[in-house]
Amino acid sequence: MLSIRDISFSMEGRPLFEGASAQIPTGKIVGVVGRNGTGKTTLFRMIRGELPLDGGEIETPRRTRIGGVAQEAPASDDSLLDTVLAADEERAALLAEAETAADPHRIADIQTRLVDIDAHSAEARASAILNGLGFDADAQKQACAEFSGGWRMRVALAAVLFSRPDLLLLDEPTNYLDLEGAMWLENFLARYPATALVISHDRDLLNRAVGGILHLHNRKLTFYTGGYDDFDKLRREKLANQASAAKKQEAVRAHLQSFVDRFRAKATKAKQAQARLKMLSRMEPIAAEIEGGVAPFQFETPKELAPPILSLEDVSVGYGGKPVLSNLSLRIDQDDRIALLGANGEGKSTFAKLISDRLAPMDGDLRAASKLKIGFFAQHQLDELTRGETPIDHIRRLRPELPPAKLRALLGAGGLGADAAESPVENLSGGQKARLLMRLATLDAPQMIILDEPTNHLDIESREALIRGLSDYEGAVILISHDPHLVEAVADRLWLVKDGAVKPFDGDMEDYRTLLISERSGGGNGGGRAAKQAKNAKKSQRRNAASIRKEVAPLRAELKTAEDRVAKLEEMREKIDSRLADPDLYEKGPAEIARLQRKRAEIIAGLERAETMWLEAEERLEAAKMAE
């Protein structure tokens, strides 16, 4: 058992833990959750002994082997398979000793231990892990030095999974995986034979692979049994109960205080007033824990274009004259929500560049609506933000005519508050940078948004806010993401990018998961009974999403018409008021003044009617959204 008892720790004067305690049962797979910046990674460093505690203690059983992912696998000439095999240091040492040992008793001990640790199957196990993380048999023979840093991170993950430490610590392991790798990892962790702590914002992984949730909040640790959805439900109930109890207690306190204030000066009631004062002093206040909401994602409403907004006929695209994707015949409409499936390297990003006009087709016919605007978001753009400049500086380049107040308002609509708007981008968190990029990409009200891994730096609450924002958005969404929950919540259609083609996938995410796990690890969907029970609900939700948006669309249009009408009437009233305030008008005689006053009265009456229609349209839209 991992025992965390009454720990305290501060970093640069800021307390991250104060009297925090938790007990993690041996053999449990536990998800570690909490808002960004609360100290989850710091907790891992303390468990490994890299940071000294200010108080308390962290205790593990004797001889516990603690393992985590290295920064990345070394760029050596060793093959991927040999690099992973070397991670089991005991096996490597025993094999080396077996080659030189002469004592028959020692040789027997070595062979017995090799059997105990299942050394004979090591190569097959290492190969299966590498395959699950996206390396086929040919790639496994290649040297580590031949792969980029991102792929070597996968090798480092494969190495620690193969070594099977007694306590496995994984910090956001899906951030450097594609969707297929993330799904495989879910399945692997669900069957992991030892204890594991996994920091993750991947809701599906936290539901499918873990049996407990360790929540870090307000510098305390709380352990919950079950997956993330179980935790989320209990957490919400706890907050609601606390708020209700605090409200009731406040009412009691107010009643007692009222009695004291009224009667403490009266001799006949003095004793009763004193008794109530004592009751008030003994009443421990119930602190209603406030869960601060995350800022929403808001997208500008695009102008509607005739379908299709984009069509491809026999299109091929690639680099240096060599096609990556060929014979593409597809269409995209403004109400489409499409997720691109497929392993890294198959061409998802190439397809995104093609339809966003960042890469020209080599052959075929690509037609886009003449007024089509496309917003493009990709994680690599985080590195393209200009150091030393603030978000206001970045957005001013796109809207140089606007005053600072309006620029701040535009950033606020994207979830960046005043402090973040004025901070140099290098001081922003990853989530804040992602929000800035999202705002810049969608500022011109595009009819289509292409999102290439938008959630790497977003916590769970921010991912849910993004889902809500995309649900309200009235344009097409093309999504590439390793987060299955995001894909299931946003996409109505799935396109598979594989073997040089892009084709609709005949099935849902659960079907794709089953196919993927079967291909990469020889069977088993790793979903468990709860996942199977949720499948039908998710499938129904996906099928209804498009029709729901179509039902809501006329209400949005009605609201927009009402808003425009109010704005027009207010503009007319301002013009009349300006003329009535002009001294020269009163030299023209009473007839013109009377005419303008009658006109103003008509405008005021019309404005009242328009505002009523606006409020009614807003109420109908909100009611329809609630029914969703």
Side-chain angles (χ1 to χ4, degrees), residues 467 484-492 541-542 545:
I467 289 170
H485 176 69
L486 180 70
V487 172
E488 290 177 330
V490 170
D492 301 329
Q541 179 184 8
R542 190 181 305 107

Side-chain angles (χ1 to χ4, degrees), residues 506-524:
D506 186 18
D508 60 14
M509 285 297 291
E510 194 63 36
D511 297 322
Y512 186 61
R513 184 189 305 273
T514 302
L515 172 65
L516 179 75
I517 297 302
S518 178
E519 288 178 346
R520 291 200 175 186
S521 58

Side-chain angles (χ1 to χ4, degrees), residues 158-470:
V160 72
L161 295 180
F162 171 73
S163 68
R164 291 192 292 197
D166 303 310
L167 176 56
L168 173 64
L169 304 178
L170 296 180
D171 190 347
E172 292 288 1
T174 60
N175 271 7
Y176 38 86
L177 300 179
D178 53 16
L179 176 63
E180 293 67 25
M183 287 181 167
W184 177 88
L185 182 63
E186 287 174 16
N187 186 63
F188 183 92
L189 287 175
R191 297 177 288 112
Y192 189 69
T195 307
L197 298 182
V198 186
I199 297 172
S200 180
H201 297 304
D202 185 328
R203 191 163 184 150
D204 267 28
L205 184 148
L206 293 173
N207 276 321
R208 292 173 176 272
V210 310
I213 296 291
L214 185 62
H215 184 218
L216 174 52
H217 179 67
N218 276 350
R219 300 177 292 282
K220 303 290 186 183
L221 293 167
T222 307
F223 181 78
Y224 296 79
T225 300
Y228 186 85
D229 285 349
D230 300 318
F231 151 75
D232 193 39
K233 181 181 179 181
L234 288 171
R235 173 80 175 150
R236 290 178 186 276
E237 289 175 355
K238 177 182 175 183
L239 291 173
N241 290 337
Q242 282 184 337
S244 176
K247 186 175 181 181
K248 289 178 181 177
Q249 187 192 64
E250 188 58 35
V252 172
R253 292 180 67 89
H255 178 72
L256 294 173
Q257 189 65 51
S258 175
F259 185 94
V260 170
D261 294 341
R262 287 168 58 198
F263 298 117
R264 71 191 309 174
K266 291 190 177 182
T268 57
K269 299 285 188 180
K271 288 185 178 179
Q272 295 179 35
Q274 287 299 319
R276 283 161 173 76
L277 273 175
K278 289 181 180 179
M279 290 174 62
L280 281 169
S281 65
R282 290 196 300 265
M283 190 180 292
E284 289 290 336
I286 298 173
E289 191 173 338
I290 299 174
E291 190 87 323
V294 299
F297 285 86
Q298 298 177 11
F299 301 102
E300 308 294 333
T301 301
K303 291 184 178 179
E304 190 170 350
L305 301 177
I309 58 174
L310 192 75
S311 65
L312 299 87
E313 187 173 343
D314 294 327
V315 169
S316 297
V317 63
Y319 307 92
K322 183 178 180 180
V324 174
L325 302 170
S326 303
N327 303 318
L328 305 180
S329 294
L330 302 160
R331 65 175 278 164
I332 299 173
D333 296 329
Q334 193 163 329
D335 63 349
D336 276 336
R337 306 296 168 98
I338 300 166
L340 302 181
L341 309 178
N344 278 2
E346 289 285 358
K348 298 190 298 293
S349 294
T350 298
F351 182 74
K353 291 176 183 177
L354 170 70
I355 62 175
S356 63
D357 200 27
R358 284 166 168 74
L359 191 60
M362 297 167 55
D363 294 301
D365 186 20
L366 187 154
R367 296 183 182 179
S370 60
K371 296 183 179 180
L372 175 63
K373 296 178 183 177
I374 299 173
F376 189 90
F377 174 97
Q379 279 296 332
H380 67 80
Q381 293 172 325
L382 291 175
D383 299 327
E384 298 173 8
L385 296 173
T386 305
R387 288 181 61 85
E389 292 191 359
T390 67
I392 284 186
D393 295 329
H394 283 79
I395 203 168
R396 184 181 287 117
R397 280 196 284 273
L398 300 178
R399 292 289 187 274
E401 75 283 3
L402 295 182
K406 290 193 174 181
L407 294 176
R408 281 193 290 271
L410 288 174
L411 290 170
L416 288 168
D419 290 343
E422 302 283 359
S423 298
V425 293
E426 62 267 25
N427 294 341
L428 300 181
S429 68
Q432 289 171 324
K433 291 177 183 177
R435 283 179 176 273
L436 172 58
L437 284 177
M438 194 82 70
R439 196 71 187 101
L440 295 174
T442 59
L443 194 60
D444 289 329
Q447 285 85 11
M448 179 166 66
I449 300 176
I450 301 171
L451 303 175
D452 191 349
E453 297 295 358
T455 61
N456 272 2
H457 297 281
L458 301 181
D459 57 27
I460 291 179
E461 291 87 349
S462 296
R463 293 182 187 204
E464 294 298 325
L466 177 60
I467 289 170
R468 291 192 294 271
L470 292 175

Side-chain angles (χ1 to χ4, degrees), residues 60-64:
T60 57
R62 290 186 62 192
R63 298 180 181 175
T64 295

Side-chain angles (χ1 to χ4, degrees), residues 84-99:
V84 172
L85 287 170
D88 189 339
E89 296 178 358
E90 182 183 11
R91 171 184 171 276
L94 289 170
L95 289 175
E97 187 180 355
E99 293 181 2

